[in-house]
Amino acid sequence: MSDVGEPRDDARRTTRPSARYVLLLGSMTTLPAISTDMYLPSLPDVARDLHTTATAAQLTITAMLVGGALGQLVIGPLSDRFGRRRPAMVGIALHVLTSLLCAIAPSIVPMIAARSLQGFFNAAATVSAMAVIRDRFVGADASQLLSRLMLVIGVSPLFAPSIGGLIAGQAGWRAVFLALALAGVALWVLLWRRMPETLPVERRREGGLRSALAGYRTLVRDRHFVALAVLPGLGMVILMSYVVGSPFVLREGFGLSANQFGLLFAFNGIALVGGAQINAALVRRVAPVRILRVALPISLMLTASLFAVVHLLPHELVPLLVVLWLLMGTINFVPPNASALALSRHGEIAGTAAAVIGSLQAGVAGVVSPLVGVLGGTRSRWGP
């Protein structure tokens, strides 16, 4: 993989991103995370209110991930054909609609369906933001910007569960989706007023399905791209396994309150944000591929340590939280660098490339995360 770090075109950074620009792109990429994190404290309440099981309630998270994976594969080529701005604004508008559908879902099956559609349309914001980054930045510059975005994205686990728990506590879990609809309206207005089009007409790809399939065929044949594109998905498996399982393990297993759970979630959010910011500073001095070669073995070691703690000390909360915090701190050394390196190889189809990275990230996690509910054991396994 000696050539992994080299871009295939002559694109260079056009300008240093302002804080307002980072905030704009961060708001787009964090929409799926907010849609997940605000809803997390309500999972047990959803299971009780809709008369279903914890595993079925967790499927509402999985459905959103799978919908997001499919959405990125569809919307990515569209952004290469129609530009970045239009697909993002249409997708966010439909996010508002699906949020309202979730708020009135009468049972778990319509809820799962609405969440899958919500994930599909949320993907428009994410894939467009990633493509915008590639339109303007490559290599270490792109990796640094992606890491800075983690500061914005990291606000989601810091505050969203607490806000969602507060809303659900005062008005019920359905009100959480009304809040998500309002957030979508605010983001749509922000994009309408502030987001410029970064893909000129002369650089857009013509053609329909055949052109899209040709782009995907080019990407799949690039083994270095595929290897890099898979890495963010593997990191997301760890993160989403924690996200999906933590409400039941920490709240029902260890008996933590919604506020205590929110504080612990925020504490781990600090680790996520801190790791990303360290990476943003480090990538200016160390090549992204070299950071990957160190971060991946460390993440693997910490994952194995977490597995050992869970099985050897299943009733001890502190060791679990310590290892989990360290693992959360290492996760964000991988996706920004792997994504930037992968995108740098195919700037001419940046939207399609971003779609593959994003769909793998959401899809792999979506396939694996249901196993948390299936293999997580009974409630009696956790806690004192």
Side-chain angles (χ1 to χ4, degrees), residues 140 143-144 147-148 274-295 298 332-333 337:
S143 181
Q144 185 183 42
S147 294
R148 295 302 184 198
Q277 298 318 296
I278 293 173
N279 180 73
L282 188 62
V283 78
R284 305 305 302 172
R285 299 172 178 83
V286 182
V289 69
R290 294 181 62 187
I291 297 175
L292 281 178
R293 288 169 179 164
V294 174
I298 292 176
N332 277 333
F333 283 89
N337 295 306

Side-chain angles (χ1 to χ4, degrees), residues 69-103:
L70 295 175
Q72 294 197 57
L73 291 175
V74 173
I75 296 165
L78 292 177
S79 74
D80 285 333
R81 183 179 182 185
F82 298 107
R84 315 307 185 196
R85 179 182 167 89
R86 196 186 312 174
M89 296 187 68
V90 171
I92 293 169
L94 291 172
H95 156 84
V96 174
L97 176 61
T98 52
S99 295
L100 297 175
L101 291 176
C102 289

Side-chain angles (χ1 to χ4, degrees), residues 13-28:
R13 183 181 67 183
T14 58
T15 183
R16 185 173 296 277
S18 65
R20 180 179 296 178
Y21 195 66
V22 172
L23 180 61
L24 173 63
L25 295 179
S27 299
M28 295 170 65

Side-chain angles (χ1 to χ4, degrees), residues 65-66 68-70 233 236-237 357-369:
L65 290 171
V66 174
L70 295 175
M236 185 60 71
V237 167
I357 297 169
S359 64
L360 284 172
Q361 196 168 5
V364 172
V367 170
V368 173
S369 59

Side-chain angles (χ1 to χ4, degrees), residues 243-259:
V243 165
V244 171
S246 60
F248 296 96
V249 172
L250 297 177
R251 287 196 61 190
E252 298 192 355
F254 285 99
L256 300 184
S257 67
N259 286 337

Side-chain angles (χ1 to χ4, degrees), residues 199-214:
L199 186 66
V201 174
E202 61 272 15
R203 288 180 51 199
R204 298 180 187 179
R205 290 173 62 86
E206 297 296 330
L209 180 61
R210 181 176 297 180
S211 177
L213 292 177

